[in-house]
Amino acid sequence: MASNKILCLSLLLAAAAATLAAATGGKLSPAYYSTTCPKALAIVQAGVVAAIQKETRIGASLLRLHFHDCFVNGCEASILLDETASIATEKTAVPNQSVRGYDVIDDIKAELEEACPGVVSCADILTLAARDSVVYLGGPSWEVDLGRKDSLTAGRAAVNTSIPPPTFNLTALAASFSSQGLSFRDLISLSGSGRLFNSGHTIGVARCVSFRGHIYNDSDIDPSFAESLQQICPRSGSDGVLAPLDLKTPTHFDNCYYRNLLRKQGLLHSDQELFSGNSEANSIVRTYVNQPSVFFKDFVQGMIKMGNIKLLTGSQGEVRTDCRKVN
């Protein structure tokens, strides 16, 4: 009897969500779950806070997870799907092999399924978790439009062409962001907050294999900075050794990333490219150093735009009950 009641409740909530989607024409809204799952936002936030309190680095990882999802066929949670006979998972693609945070999303989804089965999409969880991570670590807050649906497949083949590597120059970076509908200014602001190449830049770390070329081969780097990194990252081996992307405040969301660029202390080649001769990029970086509020404002605008890349809404896709597999 109890199981039948739970099933009926699940069906009713799912039907209500479908009715809401039809009524709004598939449009996103901050109030999307206000009636079907009123505690959704609080549940996501609690899960994110608990995870960061357990390991501060996971906040940057959740931000990166959202980036890597959105840059490959849009923000539709395809990155969360595991390998099956019919799905080539994105998780094993080279740019995603160091991506983390899947277990945090699993835990949050389990809580949501208990509270309101079949209602809150994994794509919305990823978007909210990225916002909540930024806020908890000292960054700005913003209202998240909700109502994304989850994909029915993954796009491993698209990962290598969609995620720009840390070796890209500024021209290539700008082209990559432009292909996603993001501006040059979005590139600069999002790079300083939670770059998709490694963990979040004002709040994360990078592996030796990602910055080795920069510290041994590039000339646009402070020599003493390069030498200090060479002590932990040899020319070969130790690929997984970690270094903070922001030396001053690696676990706090702020504008110190840009101050590092002025000192030629960007950890990655693609970091220092943002302040290395291009007058427009240099001007934006200096603005972010001198006016942190402008950085925060631009970052929020960039995150909102990125969170709306190639969405599935309305009757498109589905709401997975398990983020790792289709229903």
Side-chain angles (χ1 to χ4, degrees):
M1 182 68 69
S3 61
N4 287 337
K5 288 182 178 180
I6 293 174
L7 176 60
C8 288
L9 176 61
S10 175
L11 292 173
L12 285 171
L13 289 172
T19 300
L20 177 61
T24 59
K27 293 182 180 179
L28 302 188
S29 167
Y32 189 83
Y33 298 115
S34 60
T35 57
T36 56
C37 193
K39 294 183 179 180
L41 274 66
I43 291 172
V44 175
Q45 182 185 47
V48 169
V49 170
I52 296 176
Q53 288 178 339
K54 184 178 180 180
E55 182 200 2
T56 306
R57 182 187 165 203
I58 202 66
S61 298
L62 291 172
L63 191 54
R64 182 190 182 202
L65 185 58
H66 178 49
F67 284 158
H68 279 232
D69 180 47
C70 291
F71 262 61
V72 180
N73 299 327
C75 308
E76 29 73 294
S78 61
I79 193 172
L80 302 178
L81 290 171
D82 285 341
E83 185 87 9
T84 69
S86 60
I87 293 177
T89 181
E90 296 173 16
K91 295 178 180 179
T92 55
V94 173
N96 287 343
Q97 288 177 1
S98 60
V99 171
R100 308 164 67 243
Y102 301 112
D103 55 335
V104 177
I105 302 301
D106 289 340
D107 291 344
I108 293 172
K109 180 61 172 173
E111 292 287 335
L112 288 166
E113 285 300 302
E114 183 174 339
C116 36
V119 174
V120 182
S121 70
C122 302
D124 277 343
I125 296 172
L126 284 172
T127 309
L128 287 167
R131 189 274 307 273
D132 292 343
S133 294
V134 170
V135 173
Y136 187 78
L137 294 171
S141 183
W142 64 95
E143 197 170 56
V144 175
D145 284 331
L146 301 167
R148 297 164 186 78
K149 294 297 177 63
D150 302 324
S151 70
L152 301 175
T153 188
R156 183 164 63 196
V159 176
N160 290 329
T161 57
S162 300
I163 304 297
T167 55
F168 264 13
N169 61 28
L170 187 61
T171 300
L173 290 171
S176 177
F177 273 64
S178 178
S179 70
Q180 302 288 353
L182 299 171
S183 69
F184 190 75
R185 198 172 188 92
D186 294 329
L187 162 63
I188 308 297
S189 65
L190 293 176
S191 292
S193 55
R195 183 85 66 80
L196 45 156
F197 313 134
N198 291 275
S199 292
H201 278 203
T202 74
I203 48 171
V205 294
R207 298 185 304 153
C208 167
V209 68
S210 298
F211 59 82
R212 177 180 287 122
H214 182 47
I215 65 175
Y216 284 103
N217 303 327
D218 289 349
S219 59
D220 59 341
I221 184 171
D222 174 62
S224 61
F225 177 62
E227 290 173 7
S228 67
L229 291 169
Q230 289 167 8
Q231 298 303 309
I232 62 170
C233 180
R235 287 184 178 274
S236 62
S238 302
D239 288 357
V241 169
L242 302 175
L245 289 152
D246 172 7
L247 295 174
K248 303 296 182 182
T249 55
T251 59
H252 186 72
F253 189 101
D254 54 28
N255 70 337
C256 282
Y257 168 82
Y258 300 103
R259 298 180 186 276
N260 294 337
L261 298 185
L262 296 186
R263 303 185 186 101
K264 293 189 175 182
Q265 293 182 352
L267 182 60
L268 306 177
H269 173 83
S270 51
D271 288 335
Q272 200 58 53
E273 279 288 300
L274 304 185
F275 192 79
S276 185
N278 181 281
S279 59
E280 182 181 1
N282 289 358
S283 176
I284 295 172
V285 168
R286 288 194 178 96
T287 297
Y288 291 168
V289 168
N290 297 319
Q291 301 178 60
S293 61
V294 176
F295 162 47
F296 277 23
K297 173 177 171 290
D298 287 353
F299 167 71
V300 165
Q301 291 179 346
M303 284 294 291
I304 292 173
K305 288 171 64 177
M306 190 192 69
N308 288 324
I309 294 175
K310 301 175 186 175
L311 302 184
L312 300 177
T313 60
S315 61
Q316 300 172 316
E318 66 177 12
V319 175
R320 294 183 211 138
T321 57
D322 180 339
C323 292
R324 292 177 178 265
K325 59 184 180 181
V326 298
N327 294 340

